[in-house]
Amino acid sequence: QVQLVESGGGLVQPGGSLRLSCAASRTIFSFFTMGWYRQAPGKERELVARFSSDSSTNYADSVKGRFTISRDNAKNTVYLQMNSLKPEDTAVYNCNAVVISGLVARDYWGQGTQVTVSS
């Protein structure tokens, strides 16, 4: 079992910044993938940014150049630095981890943190 706890969401004006944190209950070094998704009202959940199994990073086109995903293995934490925020970034942001156990891949999700970009 893996627990993921997000923090750092809130209300910010357009052009502002926020940093989200996702703390895992166990070492993240062995996770297959780990990253952030978001879901805006009336829209499907979409990938924002994540670390792949080879530690490379993937970003949604809409956030490239503005968002940066990083990790601190010693703290079992992944971060999402969000700069130049836009109203269309408003969504619930969820942390996700995929863990491989034998031949089974399991998805774990945090409870989500609300990000609202508005003046």
Side-chain angles (χ1 to χ4, degrees), residues 8 10 14 24 33 44-45 54 68-69 72 76 84 107-108:
T33 65
E44 293 187 353
R45 180 183 286 168
D54 61 356
T68 303
I69 189 170
D72 185 334
N76 298 330
S84 303
D107 259 309
Y108 295 94

Side-chain angles (χ1 to χ4, degrees), residues 56-92:
S56 62
T57 54
N58 307 111
Y59 291 93
D61 288 342
S62 59
V63 307
K64 285 180 180 177
R66 300 188 298 121
F67 291 10
T68 303
I69 189 170
S70 62
R71 61 199 292 172
D72 185 334
N73 289 338
K75 294 183 178 180
N76 298 330
T77 300
V78 168
Y79 304 96
L80 184 68
Q81 178 66 44
M82 305 185 294
N83 299 328
S84 303
L85 282 161
K86 304 175 181 180
E88 50 264 43
D89 295 317
T90 296
V92 175

Side-chain angles (χ1 to χ4, degrees), residues 6 20 35-39 45 92-96 109-113:
E6 302 107 331
L20 306 183
W36 295 91
Y37 288 73
R38 68 185 180 187
Q39 188 168 20
R45 180 183 286 168
V92 175
Y93 285 69
N94 289 95
C95 182
N96 168 264
W109 295 91
Q111 81 285 358
T113 186

Side-chain angles (χ1 to χ4, degrees), residues 46-58:
E46 63 173 351
L47 172 69
V48 178
R50 73 178 176 194
F51 286 102
S52 295
S53 56
D54 61 356
S55 295
S56 62
T57 54
N58 307 111

